[in-house]
Amino acid sequence: MRILLICGAGMSTSLLVEKMKKEGEKRGIKDLYINAEAADNLEKIIDDYDVILLGPQIRYKEKYVAELTKEKNKVYRVIPPHIYGMIDGAKTLDLAIEALKNK
């Protein structure tokens, strides 16, 4: 599973990415790749990912993300502010897994 978290500059999500990776290891999830990038790079790299998670601070880009993910047959979700604010790697990983299951 390849998960991309997108935010304004690709930096504010790095802590969340690390927590998600640790949670994935704890759960024994194989072939898990998680990365954070700036929203401006999405069009160039979207094909490399299965799930796109949008940081709540750039929810204003949701329409663009929704259109691009639909065009590319990808799935996306907006990370709820309370999960993002708590830097909850487990719940964010659950969000990505559920998004793929319900694709």
Side-chain angles (χ1 to χ4, degrees), residues 32-52:
L32 181 64
Y33 179 79
I34 307 169
N35 195 24
E37 286 281 343
D40 293 341
N41 296 334
L42 182 59
E43 198 167 339
K44 295 178 227 161
I45 60 175
I46 192 170
D47 291 330
D48 297 333
Y49 295 92
D50 304 310
V51 181
I52 312 302

Side-chain angles (χ1 to χ4, degrees), residues 79-97:
I79 304 169
H82 64 282
I83 292 175
Y84 190 87
M86 296 293 290
I87 312 169
D88 191 328
K91 287 185 180 173
T92 308
L93 185 57
D94 289 341
L95 181 68
I97 291 168

Side-chain angles (χ1 to χ4, degrees), residues 58-98:
I58 59 163
R59 188 175 193 142
Y60 64 91
K61 290 202 177 247
E62 185 175 5
K63 183 179 179 197
Y64 162 73
V65 172
E67 290 170 358
L68 186 58
T69 53
K70 183 177 181 181
E71 175 187 318
K72 296 287 189 170
N73 196 29
K74 303 290 180 175
V75 64
Y76 87 95
R77 295 290 185 270
V78 176
I79 304 169
H82 64 282
I83 292 175
Y84 190 87
M86 296 293 290
I87 312 169
D88 191 328
K91 287 185 180 173
T92 308
L93 185 57
D94 289 341
L95 181 68
I97 291 168
E98 284 302 313

